[in-house]
């Protein structure tokens, strides 16, 4: 059951944001959506989440067009992690994560609903914060609550819009590890809009590079990351180093003195 995006186009009046997006992500794959600001990666995740409506195109999963099925059915299939939280501040962490069970709950949450909530809280390292209010959390902690809420939804498709941007390095890595584990153990298809090319190369099965609203590269990171293409997309000369199935992207060293510090990987804040 692949996620199949066909002919998706989106824009605001005369301004085109996405043009002719055709994309297939296999069941259980972890796919990175990459590209500079304004390339369309966040817009694509919002279309898949049905926050935005495309001008044309279809998004199919398990034989159904996700853009046209009832909203409740869509919510049982797809969960979305935005860049920031808009949940009411008076909610506790536990209550906020319970919101992810909304598509599944009848009149009242069941014991299983609470079990799923507690499992998601533990998985994101939030156990000590479960009774804290969201207003008391740091930005990074609140972002992890959003991810826990999405996991509590038990989706078949997980969408993440730059979820690691507010996290320190430790929690960036832990979050990406968690998502990769979920895709492999539960067969969840995940798409993440992300800036860090090397994080994408290390954790993701598929890399989709967008530029000017179009897909310019698509495949395993070791194949999709080409120095010439990346240089054109980011406007920066880069070096792509490969070792087996691993790949590392760095800015080219321009006029560096011997022994100079090695530059940081491209895309890492």
């Amino acid at each position: 059951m692949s996620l199949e995006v066909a002919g998706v186009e989106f824009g605001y009046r005369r301004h085109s944001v996405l043009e002719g997006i055709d994309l297939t992500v296999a069941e259980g794959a972890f796919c990175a959506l990459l590209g500079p600001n304004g390339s369309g990666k966040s817009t694509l995740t919002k279309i898949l989440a049905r926050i935005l409506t495309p001008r044309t195109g279809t998004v199919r999963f398990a034989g159904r067009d996700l853009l046209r099925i009832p909203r409740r059915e869509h919510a049982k299939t797809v969960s979305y992690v935005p860049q920031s939280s808009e949940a009411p501040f008076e909610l506790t962490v536990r209550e906020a994560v319970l919101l992810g069970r909304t598509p599944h709950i009848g009149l009242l949450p069941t014991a299983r609903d609470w079990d799923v909530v507690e499992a998601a809280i533990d998985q994101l390292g939030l156990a000590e914060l479960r009774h804290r209010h969201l207003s008391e959390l740091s930005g990074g902690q609140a972002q992890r609550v959003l991810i826990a809420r999405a996991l509590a939804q038990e989706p078949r498709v997980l969408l993440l819009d730059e979820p690691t941007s507010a996290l320190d390095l430790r929690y960036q890595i832990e979050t990406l590890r968690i998502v990769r584990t979920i895709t492999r153990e539960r067969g969840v298809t995940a798409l993440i809009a992300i800036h860090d090319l090397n994080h994408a190369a290390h954790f993701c099965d598929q890399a989709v590079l967008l530029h000017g609203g179009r897909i310019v590269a698509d495949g395993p990171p070791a194949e999709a990351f080409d120095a010439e293409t990346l240089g054109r997309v980011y406007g920066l000369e880069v070096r792509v180093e490969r070792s087996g199935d691993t790949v590392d992207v760095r800015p080219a060293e321009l006029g560096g003195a011997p022994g100079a510090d090695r530059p940081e990987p491209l895309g890492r804040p």
Side-chain angles (χ1 to χ4, degrees):
M1 288 183 290
S2 299
L3 177 70
E4 299 176 352
V5 180
V8 165
E9 298 191 1
F10 179 84
Y12 299 99
R13 295 184 179 180
R14 295 183 179 181
H15 175 61
S16 179
V17 179
L18 294 174
E19 300 180 21
I21 299 298
D22 296 314
L23 173 65
T24 299
V25 183
E27 181 179 12
F30 190 7
C31 175
L33 301 176
L34 299 148
N37 291 333
S39 61
K41 55 187 183 296
S42 289
T43 298
L44 181 56
T45 62
K46 289 177 180 177
I47 288 172
L48 301 179
R50 287 180 66 168
I51 296 171
L52 298 175
T53 302
R55 291 172 176 169
T56 62
T58 60
V59 178
R60 302 191 68 83
F61 183 81
R64 300 182 297 172
D65 188 344
L66 296 181
L67 302 183
R68 292 169 175 81
I69 62 176
R71 290 277 180 177
R72 188 177 181 89
E73 290 302 310
H74 182 273
K76 289 181 178 180
T77 305
V78 179
S79 65
Y80 170 70
V81 180
Q83 293 185 31
S84 60
S85 173
E86 297 179 357
F89 285 156
E90 63 268 17
L91 292 180
T92 65
V93 168
R94 196 165 181 258
E95 292 166 339
V97 176
L98 179 64
L99 291 176
R101 300 299 301 162
T102 301
H104 307 278
I105 291 175
L107 293 177
L108 293 171
T110 65
R112 184 181 183 279
D113 291 318
W114 285 114
D115 287 344
V116 172
V117 167
E118 293 297 337
I121 286 173
D122 290 341
Q123 196 163 25
L124 268 297
L126 297 165
E128 295 182 358
L129 304 174
R130 58 166 47 88
H131 299 300
R132 296 268 296 274
H133 288 82
L134 298 188
S135 59
E136 302 172 352
L137 305 183
S138 69
Q141 290 169 335
Q143 188 67 14
R144 283 189 283 143
V145 173
L146 291 182
I147 298 170
R149 184 181 71 183
L151 297 185
Q153 204 169 321
E154 294 187 304
R156 300 297 306 279
V157 178
L158 175 62
L159 307 172
L160 306 104
D161 188 1
E162 299 185 28
T164 59
S165 59
L167 303 179
D168 62 32
L169 182 59
R170 172 191 169 186
Y171 285 115
Q172 287 180 32
I173 299 301
E174 288 191 4
T175 297
L176 291 168
R177 282 176 177 163
I178 288 168
V179 176
R180 184 177 64 179
T181 298
I182 289 168
T183 60
R184 294 181 178 179
E185 294 184 354
R186 303 185 192 177
V188 172
T189 300
L191 290 87
I192 180 171
I194 188 171
H195 279 292
D196 194 308
L197 296 171
N198 290 296
H199 282 176
H202 185 76
F203 290 100
C204 297
D205 308 296
Q206 180 177 356
V208 175
L209 184 63
L210 292 114
H211 182 52
R214 295 180 177 274
I215 294 176
V216 296
D218 178 8
E223 298 177 9
F225 289 173
D226 170 77
E228 182 178 350
T229 301
L230 292 175
R232 183 174 70 252
V233 167
Y234 287 97
L236 177 71
E237 186 178 354
V238 302
R239 181 176 64 247
V240 177
E241 299 176 353
R242 292 180 172 84
S243 177
D245 293 332
T246 64
V247 61
D248 184 65
V249 181
R250 295 179 180 273
E253 296 179 1
L254 301 177
D261 291 340
R262 201 177 187 190
E264 287 299 313
L266 183 65
R268 191 165 297 170

